[in-house]
Amino acid sequence: MSEQSISFERIFQTVQQNVQNNKWPSAVFGVTDKDHCLDIRSFGSYPNGESVDSTSIYPIFSITKPMIGLCIMQLWEQGLLHPEQLIKDIIPEFHQHGKDKLRLWHLLTHTSGLDQSYAAAWGQGMGEPDGMNHPKLFATLKDSHLQGTPGTAVSYNNMAFTILAEIIERVSGESYDTYLKSHIFEPLGMKDTGFGGPELDQNRLPRVAGAEAMGDRMDQAIAAKMPSGGLFSTADDLLRFARAMLNESRYEQDRRLIQPLTFKQMITPQTLHLDEVDSDYGFVWKMPVRHKGYIERNIYGHNGMGGCMLWMYPEQEVAFVLMTGQLAPTVDNIHIHNVFASCFK
């Protein structure tokens, strides 16, 4: 795409207005093509008054999910697992209460029917403070009952990623956070992406509006390093990630995270045979191919609970990243997409 053929002023104005109108505490918005960043601008400030920028570290919440998905894709093409496998064949003790029919495909497409009531209750202050730590959450899920028949309906499911993380650990022999770092972040040069903890530079963390409603549960969630949504990152790092996705996971010369045929499977809609929902899914990636609210539907990406967005527009050969910290529902994802799509002439 020629840089002279398009102006992104309209979307930058929209983002700026949301910050100026105090809908969002701050924001960084960046656009990249396959080769380099086309434009990136920052709005708002840290609590100390200093301006945020592309190196500000935001919680990206569920944008963690496609990164976990990429790890699974790597193990798939190495012949270590595949989507039709039963979970009980990978994790033998994970078979009770109807889970013996659960397949890897169900976890990757939000069709698992796993019970999420434990996590919902924990978020409301019930249960042990460290109850979302991986070993405890996995043990709870192992003994839980399914809330739906696998493969019959699309229902967004955070708990599936606890099982995917367990699979990564058992198949690779590495902890899921170590695997992410060595197989995704380090190859892409994502030096500021990782799970929260004492090593986080507190001076680079903008305010997250709405986090106070969770009280100390927010700190406990960060400490849990949840594979469903525990990562922190910067706009610079996510734009690096987006460029790799636009290049079918190629990040330098002929080096790739996964091979082109594997990548194609990841961004092929998997749920079109099920009842229409707000979002269909490839393998983990959201794909709104049947959502009538979008001007451009041939896209894939993911959103995070804190207002962050990462989306690829393959036909236009660009991607955008929105970083903001807003837990309240004032980040209207569809409107952001439609203003962005209106920039193309």
Side-chain angles (χ1 to χ4, degrees):
M1 171 175 289
S2 169
E3 295 180 40
Q4 289 75 36
S5 67
I6 190 168
S7 169
F8 295 104
E9 287 300 322
R10 185 175 291 184
I11 186 62
F12 283 117
Q13 289 173 6
T14 297
V15 173
Q16 183 178 25
Q17 288 170 2
N18 277 293
V19 176
Q20 289 178 340
N21 294 340
N22 295 317
K23 286 187 174 181
W24 309 343
S26 65
V28 183
F29 193 93
V31 187
T32 188
D33 63 12
K34 289 183 173 183
D35 301 313
H36 61 283
C37 180
L38 299 177
D39 202 347
I40 186 166
R41 303 181 197 178
S42 306
F43 310 95
S45 59
Y46 295 101
N48 65 7
E50 294 183 12
S51 297
V52 300
D53 59 27
S54 64
T55 67
S56 298
I57 300 173
Y58 287 85
I60 61 172
F61 293 102
S62 286
I63 296 176
T64 304
K65 289 181 171 72
M67 299 181 187
I68 289 288
L70 271 168
C71 299
I72 295 293
M73 296 296 107
Q74 289 179 340
L75 299 172
W76 179 9
E77 69 178 16
Q78 292 171 32
L80 299 175
L81 47 79
H82 63 75
E84 276 297 292
Q85 273 186 288
L86 292 167
I87 302 305
K88 69 174 185 177
D89 292 342
I90 308 169
I91 308 174
E93 69 270 31
F94 202 80
H95 67 277
Q96 296 178 335
H97 310 307
K99 296 191 292 295
D100 58 315
K101 302 293 193 298
L102 194 64
R103 298 182 185 273
L104 184 58
W105 187 91
H106 301 134
L107 301 180
L108 294 168
T109 59
H110 291 281
T111 61
S112 67
L114 284 168
D115 184 9
Q116 301 197 92
S117 60
Y118 169 82
W122 184 90
Q124 295 173 7
M126 291 176 262
E128 300 175 336
D130 63 349
M132 293 297 283
N133 288 1
H134 180 72
K136 288 192 174 183
L137 186 53
F138 173 73
T140 298
L141 288 170
K142 179 173 65 71
D143 296 331
S144 69
H145 291 254
L146 290 178
Q147 297 301 296
T149 302
T152 59
V154 177
S155 182
Y156 191 76
N157 196 293
N158 286 299
M159 297 302 96
F161 290 81
T162 294
I163 311 308
L164 290 173
E166 184 70 17
I167 289 171
I168 290 168
E169 295 194 345
R170 297 205 182 193
V171 173
S172 73
E174 301 178 64
S175 66
Y176 64 87
D177 52 332
T178 298
Y179 189 99
L180 275 167
K181 182 178 180 180
S182 60
H183 294 269
I184 306 294
F185 305 149
E186 288 180 349
L188 295 183
M190 297 170 66
K191 59 185 178 62
D192 289 317
T193 300
F195 289 99
E199 65 276 11
L200 270 180
D201 185 350
Q202 300 296 317
N203 294 321
R204 293 166 62 192
L205 294 172
R207 183 173 72 91
V208 178
E212 59 275 3
M214 292 185 65
D216 59 3
R217 284 301 201 205
M218 178 60 76
D219 292 336
Q220 293 159 4
I222 291 171
K225 300 183 177 182
M226 293 185 294
S228 61
L231 286 175
F232 287 73
S233 191
T234 66
D236 285 342
D237 274 8
L238 286 190
L239 287 169
R240 289 187 181 92
F241 185 84
R243 279 191 288 278
M245 298 304 99
L246 289 173
N247 285 287
E248 297 181 320
S249 89
R250 180 173 59 83
Y251 56 93
E252 60 180 52
Q253 297 180 347
D254 291 328
R255 303 188 71 179
R256 298 176 180 272
L257 297 177
I258 54 178
Q259 296 305 311
L261 288 178
T262 316
F263 186 84
K264 183 178 179 180
Q265 285 294 317
M266 198 175 187
I267 61 169
T268 296
Q270 301 288 326
T271 57
L272 296 180
H273 63 291
L274 299 174
D275 289 344
E276 189 168 348
V277 290
D278 284 348
S279 183
D280 283 293
Y281 289 90
F283 285 132
V284 181
W285 288 115
K286 295 171 74 73
M287 307 185 75
V289 291
R290 292 188 286 176
H291 196 300
K292 299 177 180 61
Y294 289 76
I295 291 174
E296 172 60 86
R297 300 186 204 171
N298 183 26
I299 57 179
Y300 64 94
H302 220 286
N303 308 317
M305 181 178 70
C308 292
M309 301 175 66
L310 167 67
W311 284 85
M312 276 55 67
Y313 280 59
E315 290 189 1
Q316 293 78 18
E317 297 185 333
V318 298
F320 77 77
V321 167
L322 169 65
M323 310 296 280
T324 187
Q326 182 60 57
L327 294 190
T330 59
V331 180
D332 194 316
N333 300 316
I334 298 175
H335 287 327
I336 294 295
H337 276 290
N338 290 339
V339 174
F340 184 72
S342 74
C343 295
F344 298 100
K345 298 180 180 178

